Short mmCIF file of all heavy atoms in Angstrom, two decimals:
data_model
loop_
_atom_site.label_atom_id
_atom_site.label_comp_id
_atom_site.label_asym_id
_atom_site.label_seq_id
_atom_site.Cartn_x
_atom_site.Cartn_y
_atom_site.Cartn_z
N ALA A 99 -4.55 6.79 6.32
CA ALA A 99 -4.83 5.97 5.15
C ALA A 99 -3.56 5.14 4.74
O ALA A 99 -3.65 3.97 4.48
CB ALA A 99 -5.31 6.81 3.98
N ALA A 100 -2.41 5.85 4.77
CA ALA A 100 -1.15 5.18 4.36
C ALA A 100 -0.82 4.10 5.38
O ALA A 100 -0.39 2.97 4.96
CB ALA A 100 -0.04 6.18 4.32
N LYS A 101 -0.99 4.39 6.68
CA LYS A 101 -0.66 3.42 7.72
C LYS A 101 -1.59 2.16 7.61
O LYS A 101 -1.06 1.05 7.66
CB LYS A 101 -0.82 4.07 9.06
CG LYS A 101 -0.57 3.16 10.26
CD LYS A 101 -0.78 3.90 11.58
CE LYS A 101 -0.65 3.00 12.79
NZ LYS A 101 -0.90 3.70 14.02
N VAL A 102 -2.87 2.38 7.50
CA VAL A 102 -3.79 1.25 7.47
C VAL A 102 -3.61 0.43 6.17
O VAL A 102 -3.64 -0.78 6.21
CB VAL A 102 -5.26 1.75 7.59
CG1 VAL A 102 -6.26 0.60 7.40
CG2 VAL A 102 -5.51 2.43 8.94
N ALA A 103 -3.38 1.13 5.06
CA ALA A 103 -3.17 0.45 3.76
C ALA A 103 -1.94 -0.39 3.83
O ALA A 103 -1.89 -1.52 3.32
CB ALA A 103 -3.12 1.45 2.66
N ALA A 104 -0.86 0.14 4.48
CA ALA A 104 0.40 -0.62 4.58
C ALA A 104 0.18 -1.88 5.43
O ALA A 104 0.73 -2.92 5.07
CB ALA A 104 1.47 0.27 5.24
N ASN A 105 -0.57 -1.77 6.51
CA ASN A 105 -0.86 -2.92 7.34
C ASN A 105 -1.67 -4.00 6.57
O ASN A 105 -1.45 -5.19 6.68
CB ASN A 105 -1.56 -2.52 8.63
CG ASN A 105 -0.67 -1.79 9.58
OD1 ASN A 105 0.53 -1.97 9.58
ND2 ASN A 105 -1.27 -0.95 10.43
N ALA A 106 -2.69 -3.48 5.84
CA ALA A 106 -3.52 -4.37 5.01
C ALA A 106 -2.67 -5.04 3.96
O ALA A 106 -2.83 -6.30 3.71
CB ALA A 106 -4.66 -3.60 4.40
N LYS A 107 -1.79 -4.32 3.34
CA LYS A 107 -0.93 -4.88 2.33
C LYS A 107 -0.05 -5.98 2.87
O LYS A 107 0.11 -7.04 2.20
CB LYS A 107 -0.07 -3.73 1.78
CG LYS A 107 0.90 -4.09 0.65
CD LYS A 107 1.75 -2.92 0.29
CE LYS A 107 2.69 -2.58 1.43
NZ LYS A 107 3.60 -1.47 1.10
N ARG A 108 0.50 -5.79 4.06
CA ARG A 108 1.33 -6.81 4.66
C ARG A 108 0.51 -8.07 5.00
O ARG A 108 0.93 -9.20 4.79
CB ARG A 108 2.04 -6.27 5.91
CG ARG A 108 3.21 -5.37 5.62
CD ARG A 108 4.03 -5.10 6.87
NE ARG A 108 3.29 -4.24 7.83
CZ ARG A 108 3.30 -2.97 7.88
NH1 ARG A 108 4.01 -2.31 6.94
NH2 ARG A 108 2.60 -2.28 8.73
N GLY A 109 -0.69 -7.83 5.54
CA GLY A 109 -1.53 -8.96 5.87
C GLY A 109 -1.97 -9.73 4.64
O GLY A 109 -2.02 -10.98 4.63
N ALA A 110 -2.25 -9.00 3.53
CA ALA A 110 -2.58 -9.68 2.28
C ALA A 110 -1.41 -10.44 1.70
O ALA A 110 -1.60 -11.55 1.17
CB ALA A 110 -3.06 -8.64 1.27
N GLU A 111 -0.24 -9.91 1.84
CA GLU A 111 0.95 -10.60 1.32
C GLU A 111 1.18 -11.90 2.10
O GLU A 111 1.55 -12.95 1.50
CB GLU A 111 2.18 -9.69 1.42
CG GLU A 111 3.44 -10.23 0.75
CD GLU A 111 4.59 -9.24 0.74
OE1 GLU A 111 4.53 -8.29 1.61
OE2 GLU A 111 5.46 -9.39 -0.08
N GLU A 112 1.06 -11.83 3.39
CA GLU A 112 1.22 -13.05 4.22
C GLU A 112 0.26 -14.15 3.84
O GLU A 112 0.55 -15.32 3.93
CB GLU A 112 1.06 -12.68 5.74
CG GLU A 112 2.21 -11.81 6.26
CD GLU A 112 1.89 -11.30 7.67
OE1 GLU A 112 0.80 -11.65 8.18
OE2 GLU A 112 2.72 -10.59 8.22
N GLN A 113 -0.95 -13.76 3.40
CA GLN A 113 -1.98 -14.72 3.12
C GLN A 113 -2.13 -14.97 1.64
O GLN A 113 -3.05 -15.70 1.19
CB GLN A 113 -3.34 -14.20 3.65
CG GLN A 113 -3.36 -13.98 5.12
CD GLN A 113 -4.68 -13.37 5.61
OE1 GLN A 113 -5.74 -13.81 5.18
NE2 GLN A 113 -4.56 -12.36 6.44
N ALA A 114 -1.25 -14.40 0.81
CA ALA A 114 -1.26 -14.54 -0.63
C ALA A 114 -2.62 -14.09 -1.23
O ALA A 114 -3.07 -14.59 -2.23
CB ALA A 114 -1.05 -16.00 -1.02
N LEU A 115 -3.19 -12.99 -0.69
CA LEU A 115 -4.44 -12.43 -1.21
C LEU A 115 -4.01 -11.33 -2.18
O LEU A 115 -3.93 -10.13 -1.78
CB LEU A 115 -5.26 -11.87 -0.05
CG LEU A 115 -5.71 -12.90 0.98
CD1 LEU A 115 -6.43 -12.19 2.13
CD2 LEU A 115 -6.64 -13.94 0.37
N VAL A 116 -3.77 -11.68 -3.41
CA VAL A 116 -3.08 -10.75 -4.29
C VAL A 116 -3.94 -9.53 -4.64
O VAL A 116 -3.41 -8.42 -4.84
CB VAL A 116 -2.66 -11.50 -5.62
CG1 VAL A 116 -1.53 -12.45 -5.33
CG2 VAL A 116 -3.83 -12.24 -6.23
N SER A 117 -5.25 -9.68 -4.80
CA SER A 117 -6.08 -8.55 -5.11
C SER A 117 -6.01 -7.48 -4.01
O SER A 117 -5.84 -6.30 -4.32
CB SER A 117 -7.55 -9.01 -5.25
OG SER A 117 -7.71 -9.84 -6.39
N PHE A 118 -6.11 -7.92 -2.77
CA PHE A 118 -6.02 -6.97 -1.66
C PHE A 118 -4.60 -6.38 -1.59
O PHE A 118 -4.47 -5.23 -1.21
CB PHE A 118 -6.37 -7.65 -0.34
CG PHE A 118 -7.84 -8.02 -0.21
CD1 PHE A 118 -8.22 -9.12 0.55
CD2 PHE A 118 -8.82 -7.26 -0.82
CE1 PHE A 118 -9.56 -9.39 0.72
CE2 PHE A 118 -10.17 -7.58 -0.72
CZ PHE A 118 -10.54 -8.66 0.07
N HIS A 119 -3.62 -7.16 -1.93
CA HIS A 119 -2.24 -6.64 -1.85
C HIS A 119 -2.05 -5.53 -2.87
O HIS A 119 -1.49 -4.46 -2.54
CB HIS A 119 -1.28 -7.82 -2.13
CG HIS A 119 0.20 -7.38 -2.04
ND1 HIS A 119 1.00 -7.25 -3.16
CD2 HIS A 119 0.97 -7.04 -0.98
CE1 HIS A 119 2.21 -6.86 -2.78
NE2 HIS A 119 2.20 -6.75 -1.47
N MET A 120 -2.56 -5.73 -4.10
CA MET A 120 -2.40 -4.75 -5.16
C MET A 120 -3.22 -3.48 -4.77
O MET A 120 -2.74 -2.34 -4.93
CB MET A 120 -2.94 -5.27 -6.50
CG MET A 120 -2.13 -6.44 -7.03
SD MET A 120 -0.51 -5.92 -7.54
CE MET A 120 0.19 -7.46 -8.19
N TYR A 121 -4.40 -3.68 -4.27
CA TYR A 121 -5.24 -2.51 -3.90
C TYR A 121 -4.61 -1.76 -2.73
O TYR A 121 -4.62 -0.51 -2.71
CB TYR A 121 -6.65 -3.00 -3.54
CG TYR A 121 -7.73 -1.96 -3.61
CD1 TYR A 121 -7.51 -0.72 -4.29
CD2 TYR A 121 -8.96 -2.18 -3.02
CE1 TYR A 121 -8.52 0.22 -4.33
CE2 TYR A 121 -9.98 -1.21 -3.05
CZ TYR A 121 -9.74 -0.02 -3.74
OH TYR A 121 -10.73 0.93 -3.79
N GLY A 122 -4.05 -2.47 -1.79
CA GLY A 122 -3.39 -1.84 -0.66
C GLY A 122 -2.21 -0.97 -1.12
O GLY A 122 -2.02 0.17 -0.63
N GLN A 123 -1.46 -1.48 -2.10
CA GLN A 123 -0.35 -0.70 -2.66
C GLN A 123 -0.87 0.60 -3.32
O GLN A 123 -0.29 1.68 -3.11
CB GLN A 123 0.42 -1.56 -3.70
CG GLN A 123 1.31 -2.62 -3.10
CD GLN A 123 2.02 -3.39 -4.20
OE1 GLN A 123 1.47 -3.72 -5.21
NE2 GLN A 123 3.25 -3.69 -3.94
N ALA A 124 -1.95 0.46 -4.10
CA ALA A 124 -2.49 1.65 -4.78
C ALA A 124 -3.00 2.64 -3.78
O ALA A 124 -2.79 3.88 -4.00
CB ALA A 124 -3.60 1.19 -5.74
N ILE A 125 -3.70 2.22 -2.74
CA ILE A 125 -4.26 3.17 -1.77
C ILE A 125 -3.12 3.86 -1.02
O ILE A 125 -3.16 5.06 -0.82
CB ILE A 125 -5.17 2.43 -0.76
CG1 ILE A 125 -6.39 1.83 -1.48
CG2 ILE A 125 -5.64 3.39 0.35
CD1 ILE A 125 -7.19 0.87 -0.66
N GLU A 126 -2.13 3.10 -0.64
CA GLU A 126 -0.98 3.71 0.11
C GLU A 126 -0.25 4.71 -0.83
O GLU A 126 0.15 5.83 -0.35
CB GLU A 126 0.00 2.62 0.53
CG GLU A 126 1.11 3.20 1.45
CD GLU A 126 2.11 2.16 1.89
OE1 GLU A 126 1.96 0.95 1.58
OE2 GLU A 126 3.10 2.53 2.52
N ALA A 127 -0.12 4.39 -2.07
CA ALA A 127 0.48 5.30 -3.04
C ALA A 127 -0.28 6.59 -3.13
O ALA A 127 0.26 7.71 -3.12
CB ALA A 127 0.60 4.64 -4.42
N ALA A 128 -1.64 6.46 -3.19
CA ALA A 128 -2.49 7.65 -3.31
C ALA A 128 -2.40 8.55 -2.06
O ALA A 128 -2.44 9.76 -2.15
CB ALA A 128 -3.94 7.23 -3.54
N ALA A 129 -2.23 7.89 -0.89
CA ALA A 129 -2.13 8.67 0.36
C ALA A 129 -0.74 9.30 0.42
O ALA A 129 -0.61 10.51 0.82
CB ALA A 129 -2.30 7.75 1.53
N ARG A 130 0.29 8.57 -0.01
CA ARG A 130 1.67 9.14 0.13
C ARG A 130 1.89 10.29 -0.85
O ARG A 130 2.64 11.21 -0.49
CB ARG A 130 2.69 8.03 -0.13
CG ARG A 130 2.79 7.02 1.05
CD ARG A 130 3.99 6.11 0.96
NE ARG A 130 4.05 5.28 2.10
CZ ARG A 130 4.55 5.64 3.29
NH1 ARG A 130 5.03 6.84 3.44
NH2 ARG A 130 4.58 4.77 4.32
N VAL A 131 1.32 10.25 -2.02
CA VAL A 131 1.51 11.38 -2.95
C VAL A 131 0.91 12.63 -2.39
O VAL A 131 1.46 13.75 -2.58
CB VAL A 131 0.98 11.05 -4.36
CG1 VAL A 131 -0.57 11.14 -4.40
CG2 VAL A 131 1.56 11.93 -5.43
N GLU A 132 -0.18 12.53 -1.62
CA GLU A 132 -0.80 13.69 -1.02
C GLU A 132 -0.01 14.20 0.17
O GLU A 132 -0.03 15.37 0.56
CB GLU A 132 -2.19 13.33 -0.55
CG GLU A 132 -3.19 12.95 -1.63
CD GLU A 132 -3.47 14.08 -2.59
OE1 GLU A 132 -3.22 15.28 -2.23
OE2 GLU A 132 -3.87 13.81 -3.71
N MET A 133 0.84 13.27 0.77
CA MET A 133 1.68 13.67 1.89
C MET A 133 3.01 14.22 1.40
O MET A 133 3.87 14.66 2.20
CB MET A 133 1.96 12.44 2.76
CG MET A 133 0.68 11.89 3.45
SD MET A 133 0.94 10.23 4.07
CE MET A 133 2.29 10.45 5.26
N GLY A 134 3.24 14.23 0.05
CA GLY A 134 4.47 14.77 -0.45
C GLY A 134 5.56 13.75 -0.70
O GLY A 134 6.67 14.11 -1.14
N ASP A 135 5.28 12.47 -0.39
CA ASP A 135 6.33 11.43 -0.60
C ASP A 135 6.22 10.88 -2.00
O ASP A 135 5.68 9.84 -2.33
CB ASP A 135 6.07 10.29 0.40
CG ASP A 135 7.13 9.20 0.29
OD1 ASP A 135 8.08 9.35 -0.50
OD2 ASP A 135 6.97 8.14 1.00
N THR A 136 6.71 11.68 -2.99
CA THR A 136 6.57 11.33 -4.41
C THR A 136 7.36 10.07 -4.75
O THR A 136 6.89 9.30 -5.58
CB THR A 136 7.04 12.51 -5.28
OG1 THR A 136 8.37 12.86 -4.96
CG2 THR A 136 6.12 13.72 -5.14
N HIS A 137 8.50 9.89 -4.18
CA HIS A 137 9.32 8.72 -4.50
C HIS A 137 8.66 7.41 -4.04
O HIS A 137 8.46 6.46 -4.84
CB HIS A 137 10.66 8.82 -3.83
CG HIS A 137 11.57 7.64 -4.08
ND1 HIS A 137 12.08 7.29 -5.31
CD2 HIS A 137 12.01 6.68 -3.23
CE1 HIS A 137 12.80 6.21 -5.23
NE2 HIS A 137 12.75 5.79 -3.95
N GLY A 138 8.21 7.41 -2.78
CA GLY A 138 7.51 6.20 -2.26
C GLY A 138 6.24 5.97 -3.01
O GLY A 138 5.87 4.85 -3.29
N ALA A 139 5.50 7.04 -3.32
CA ALA A 139 4.21 6.86 -4.05
C ALA A 139 4.43 6.31 -5.46
O ALA A 139 3.70 5.42 -5.91
CB ALA A 139 3.53 8.23 -4.16
N THR A 140 5.51 6.77 -6.09
CA THR A 140 5.82 6.27 -7.48
C THR A 140 6.15 4.78 -7.46
O THR A 140 5.67 4.02 -8.29
CB THR A 140 7.00 7.06 -8.08
OG1 THR A 140 6.68 8.42 -8.13
CG2 THR A 140 7.34 6.57 -9.47
N LEU A 141 6.95 4.38 -6.49
CA LEU A 141 7.29 2.96 -6.40
C LEU A 141 6.12 2.08 -6.13
O LEU A 141 5.93 1.04 -6.76
CB LEU A 141 8.38 2.74 -5.26
CG LEU A 141 9.75 3.33 -5.50
CD1 LEU A 141 10.63 3.15 -4.25
CD2 LEU A 141 10.41 2.66 -6.68
N LEU A 142 5.23 2.55 -5.24
CA LEU A 142 4.05 1.74 -4.86
C LEU A 142 3.08 1.68 -6.04
O LEU A 142 2.53 0.62 -6.36
CB LEU A 142 3.32 2.34 -3.65
CG LEU A 142 4.04 2.16 -2.32
CD1 LEU A 142 3.49 3.12 -1.25
CD2 LEU A 142 3.88 0.69 -1.87
#
C-alpha cells in the first residue's frame, strides 16, 4: 500500500492532480504508521 501510494503520489504531483496527491499522501501515511514508521507517517 505504501509503495503504490507513493508512486501514485509522484504521478499526481507531476500532473498537478492535487486531490490524488493529497489522498496518496494520506494513504501512504496510514500504511507507514502500521509498519511502525511513525516519523514518516506523521510528516505525510
